[in-house]
Amino acid sequence: MSDKPDKLITDDGLRLDGRRADEIRPMKIEIGVLSRADGSCYLEWGRNKILVGVFGPREAHPRRSQRADSAVIRYRYNMASFSVEDRARPGPSRRSIEISKVSREAFEPVIMAELFPKTAIDIFVEVLQADAGTRTAAINASSIALADAGIPMKGLITSCAFGKVDGQIVLDLNKDEDNYGDADFPVAMTQDGEITLVQMDGHLTPEEIKKGMELVKKGCKEILEIQQAVLRKKFATPVEDTEEEAAGTEKEGEKEESVPAPEAVQEAAVVEEAVKETEELGAEASEEPSAADVLSSEVIPDFDEELDEEIEEEFEAEEFEAEEEDEDLEDEDEAEEEEFEAESEDDLEDDLEDDLEEALEDEDEFEASFEGTPELKEFDEIEARLEKESVSIEAEEEIGLEPEAEEFVEEESSLEEESEVEETEAASEETIEPETEVEPKVETGEASTEAVEAEEEPEEEKSEGPWKVVKDPSEAGNRGEKDE
Ligand code: UDP
């Protein structure tokens, strides 16, 4: 950072960069510098260097950002880390977010956003070199880039700041004046003088503000003239003139020193020429439709070349669109991720319902696949038999379920006894296993099968306590089926 100079304004009223109090820094504007942007502008203002790209109107992503009645205007001001003396921290900062917001609001009154519902108009500002007044420089550049993109506007926006330096009101502060001055007052306005941005940093009296506003109006008028001149240069040149000029240059080779037509106009002229040649060739071909001509390598290759060129151009245009789409899709992916997160709860419920339905269908299918199989037949027979004979103990005896049922009753009663026994055991701290205690009682009963099964059970299961002995009644049923 440079040291504070003794005086920012010399005795003869000149500022350190040689300007008078009411003068703006020299401004240079280039238009259409980015081929992938719909509109672009490179602007130098003093030592400020700003690049702006405008995209749109294009479908707004994420979709929730869309407005049904108009386009959304998005403005991103970004300062390159190398744009300032002390490296700027990359990424958004409070300052850049604030500048983006006020700059967007500066454009909202003039952009006819209502013509493009559900779309977005993106303005990307890159500050490549900063020397105070970058937000005003960026607004001036954005205005041009928007016009270059063909965004309908009620007029251009121009922007300029005034400030107070060494007690004097001066126009368009440079870095030193901004750093060591007393106040900075950026303003943006329409070409009719309607204010769309006002900010103030420092202290100013109402009289000072009034005086400063007069200077700003003058500054903005000058900037507007530069902007209009640049836009006229690009858009006011009729294609016919350029064509004639190009033809003349071709023939005489004399006009080469004249101011070259803007790149885009030159391109347009070349395309026009190519189309004309193609038409002439087409006419020739139709006038002499002999087989020799049709097949002659003079005509066909030329056509092919023209066609190739056209196809290539188309292809390039499509490629550009595809790239744009990719960008959009990325945005969309992000948006969809967010949406997904938001909707996941609902989706989960829906999914579970779907899964359940599917599972039920699968079950039906699964059951259907067994139709007519001997197993199913057998099962049906048993079922029919069970239905016929009322479910009595006799019937159960017949199909071999009795022992199990009895077993279960026995188990229940034995469990009660077991728990009693366990309580006593706990009291006397004896380590006799409940099974061993219970078994004799079970054996004294009728269901000796249970005793056998209990014996067959693994040791650790037995030692876990009496609960393991309990058999599920449904298990009993299964075993009964197996037995049968
Ligand atoms: N600046 C800087 N580092 C930063 C931000 C700003 O050196 O992180 C410098 C830069 O030259 C900028 C000037 O300070 O132009 C004044 O910044 P201000 O916030 O007033 O905005 P500006 O005048 O550029 O619109």
Side-chain angles (χ1 to χ4, degrees), residues 242-260:
T242 321
E243 197 186 327
E244 277 168 26
E245 205 177 280
T249 316
E250 216 173 74
K251 276 175 195 169
E252 297 156 22
E254 286 169 3
K255 287 185 184 175
E256 271 177 9
E257 280 171 25
S258 66
V259 182

Side-chain angles (χ1 to χ4, degrees), residues 77 79 84 88 95 99 130-136 175 178 184:
Y77 167 101
M79 207 169 214
V84 288
R95 179 178 170 272
I99 294 177
D131 192 60
T134 53
R135 78 193 66 197
T136 50
K175 185 75 170 72
D178 187 274
D184 180 20

Side-chain angles (χ1 to χ4, degrees), residues 33-291:
V33 287
L34 300 174
S35 58
R36 293 206 180 89
D38 294 316
S40 57
C41 176
Y42 171 70
L43 180 142
E44 284 183 12
W45 194 5
R47 297 210 311 245
N48 285 316
K49 294 183 177 180
I50 315 283
L51 185 62
V52 177
V54 168
F55 295 83
R58 59 182 178 180
E59 198 181 343
H61 288 292
R63 288 216 180 86
R64 67 186 143 76
S65 71
Q66 290 181 356
R67 288 190 55 178
D69 56 345
S70 77
V72 283
I73 299 161
R74 299 187 292 210
Y75 191 106
R76 198 203 66 170
Y77 167 101
N78 183 54
M79 207 169 214
S81 53
F82 52 80
S83 65
V84 288
E85 221 169 282
D86 305 318
R87 179 178 176 273
R89 201 163 177 269
S93 62
R94 286 175 71 87
R95 179 178 170 272
S96 70
I97 292 166
E98 171 226 308
I99 294 177
S100 300
K101 182 188 178 284
V102 295
S103 306
R104 172 175 53 77
E105 287 168 355
F107 279 101
E108 277 174 350
V110 289
I111 296 176
M112 296 163 84
E114 64 279 5
L115 298 178
F116 308 102
K118 294 187 178 179
T119 66
I121 297 166
D122 290 305
I123 305 158
F124 293 98
V125 171
E126 293 295 321
V127 177
L128 305 176
Q129 192 170 291
D131 192 60
T134 53
R135 78 193 66 197
T136 50
I139 288 172
N140 291 325
S142 301
S143 205
I144 298 288
L146 281 163
D148 184 35
I151 307 289
M153 291 193 286
K154 291 169 190 160
L156 292 170
I157 293 288
T158 46
S159 184
C160 190
F162 76 85
K164 192 174 164 187
V165 177
D166 287 353
Q168 276 196 49
I169 298 297
V170 296
L171 188 61
D172 183 25
L173 304 181
N174 64 28
K175 185 75 170 72
D176 284 340
E177 291 169 341
D178 187 274
N179 282 353
Y180 307 116
D182 306 317
D184 180 20
F185 199 104
V187 178
M189 59 175 74
T190 64
Q191 55 193 59
D192 303 326
E194 195 184 314
I195 309 291
T196 61
L197 175 146
V198 171
Q199 291 188 289
M200 185 171 88
D201 181 15
H203 298 281
L204 292 165
T205 63
E207 288 71 38
E208 284 170 341
I209 293 174
K210 215 173 167 188
K211 195 178 172 194
M213 285 305 290
E214 289 307 313
L215 289 185
V216 158
K217 274 183 198 165
K218 178 184 172 285
C220 282
K221 197 166 168 250
E222 287 172 27
I223 295 164
L224 180 65
E225 278 166 16
I226 300 170
Q227 286 175 320
Q228 285 174 336
V230 172
L231 288 169
R232 269 198 208 102
K233 197 177 167 190
K234 171 151 190 193
F235 293 110
T237 317
V239 173
E240 291 79 29
D241 291 0
T242 321
E243 197 186 327
E244 277 168 26
E245 205 177 280
T249 316
E250 216 173 74
K251 276 175 195 169
E252 297 156 22
E254 286 169 3
K255 287 185 184 175
E256 271 177 9
E257 280 171 25
S258 66
V259 182
E263 205 179 296
V265 180
Q266 281 176 351
E267 277 172 19
V270 170
V271 172
E272 282 280 317
E273 217 176 295
V275 170
K276 209 175 164 192
E277 272 177 34
T278 316
E279 279 170 7
E280 279 171 14
L281 286 168
E284 274 176 34
S286 59
E287 272 167 28
E288 296 167 34
S290 70

Side-chain angles (χ1 to χ4, degrees), residues 407-428 430 432-443 450-451 454-455 457 461-471:
E407 202 179 293
F408 181 61
V409 175
E410 279 292 324
E411 276 166 14
E412 271 193 328
S413 61
S414 68
L415 265 174
E416 279 167 22
E417 285 164 4
E418 271 168 20
S419 55
E420 278 168 28
V421 169
E422 207 179 30
E423 275 170 29
T424 341
E425 274 173 2
S428 62
E430 277 176 25
I432 302 161
E433 281 185 8
E435 289 291 329
T436 345
E437 274 299 298
V438 176
E439 266 167 25
K441 283 175 192 163
V442 174
E443 277 176 306
E450 173 56 28
E455 270 171 24
E457 272 180 22
E461 268 192 38
K462 281 183 193 172
S463 61
E464 268 180 50
W467 297 275
K468 281 283 168 188
V469 186
V470 176
K471 296 285 183 288

Side-chain angles (χ1 to χ4, degrees), residues 310-328:
E310 272 179 36
I311 288 164
E312 214 168 273
E313 273 170 26
E314 279 275 318
F315 185 70
E316 271 171 21
E318 271 173 23
E319 238 180 12
F320 176 67
E321 272 171 31
E323 272 175 31
E324 286 280 304
E325 253 172 47
D326 280 352
E327 261 183 47
D328 289 351

